[in-house]
Amino acid sequence: MKIKVINGPNINMLGIREPGIYGSENYETLCNNIKDFARNNNIDVELYQSNHEGDLVDQIQACYGKIDGIVINPGAYTHTSIAILDAAKAVKIPVVEVHISKVEEREDFRQVSYIRAACVKTITGHGINGYIEAMQFLLENYKN
């Protein structure tokens, strides 16, 4: 199985940015956990992070015909980007939305998720372990 993990703005700042909300583990730890899980479960995983909306759209589109599942944390673009939603809908690949914090308990503007309309599952508030849960879900439900 091939899974692409896509992270949006500021995810590279984990451990620095608001640790009371996002935890003290850094981006390198997140990436290492994902790679370890993938290796132990025979998953070919690609990781990508960008602070630029168009780059995220390009990455989603590049998955077409090549990737079996996408795990995405669009960061703040969750609440603003119809372009990311449209890209996810276009590629017709199972997408799992992940958020480190429990967005449903935060500010009102964080209650809107455009990407959710294209997702088969959403995981919030499980810290960086949410990524592993998302990969496990794709493995159990969409393995070829």
Side-chain angles (χ1 to χ4, degrees), residues 72 74 78 95-99 101 103-104 113 115-126 130 133-134 137:
I72 188 166
T78 302
V95 177
V96 178
E97 173 187 20
V98 173
H99 297 284
S101 70
V103 290
E104 61 273 15
S113 171
I115 188 72
R116 194 161 297 159
C119 293
V120 296
K121 185 172 182 69
T122 298
I123 299 168
T124 69
H126 295 183
E133 292 176 41
F137 176 82

Side-chain angles (χ1 to χ4, degrees), residues 106-112:
R106 296 187 61 200
E107 303 93 337
D108 288 345
F109 67 86
R110 294 190 197 273
Q111 307 310 307
V112 175

Side-chain angles (χ1 to χ4, degrees), residues 17-141:
R17 177 182 174 224
E18 300 179 276
I21 294 173
Y22 300 105
S24 58
E25 296 170 301
N26 63 22
Y27 185 66
E28 181 180 2
T29 300
L30 170 63
C31 292
N32 288 337
N33 289 356
I34 290 168
K35 290 174 189 174
D36 288 346
F37 180 83
R39 185 174 40 259
N40 292 332
N41 289 276
N42 200 29
I43 297 170
D44 182 6
V45 69
E46 296 177 14
L47 292 96
Y48 183 79
Q49 187 278 326
S50 177
N51 295 317
H52 305 282
E53 183 179 23
D55 291 346
L56 300 174
V57 170
D58 290 344
Q59 287 296 311
I60 293 167
Q61 290 178 358
C63 291
Y64 182 74
K66 299 175 186 165
I67 298 292
D68 301 309
I70 297 172
V71 174
I72 188 166
N73 182 343
Y77 290 131
T78 302
H79 322 293
T80 64
S81 182
I82 295 167
I84 291 173
L85 165 65
D86 288 348
K89 288 167 73 175
V91 297
K92 297 183 173 107
I93 297 168
V95 177
V96 178
E97 173 187 20
V98 173
H99 297 284
I100 294 167
S101 70
K102 201 164 205 165
V103 290
E104 61 273 15
E105 295 179 359
R106 296 187 61 200
E107 303 93 337
D108 288 345
F109 67 86
R110 294 190 197 273
Q111 307 310 307
V112 175
S113 171
Y114 286 107
I115 188 72
R116 194 161 297 159
C119 293
V120 296
K121 185 172 182 69
T122 298
I123 299 168
T124 69
H126 295 183
I128 64 174
N129 291 329
Y131 289 82
I132 304 305
E133 292 176 41
M135 292 172 65
Q136 183 69 48
F137 176 82
L138 289 169
L139 187 61
E140 290 172 0
N141 294 282

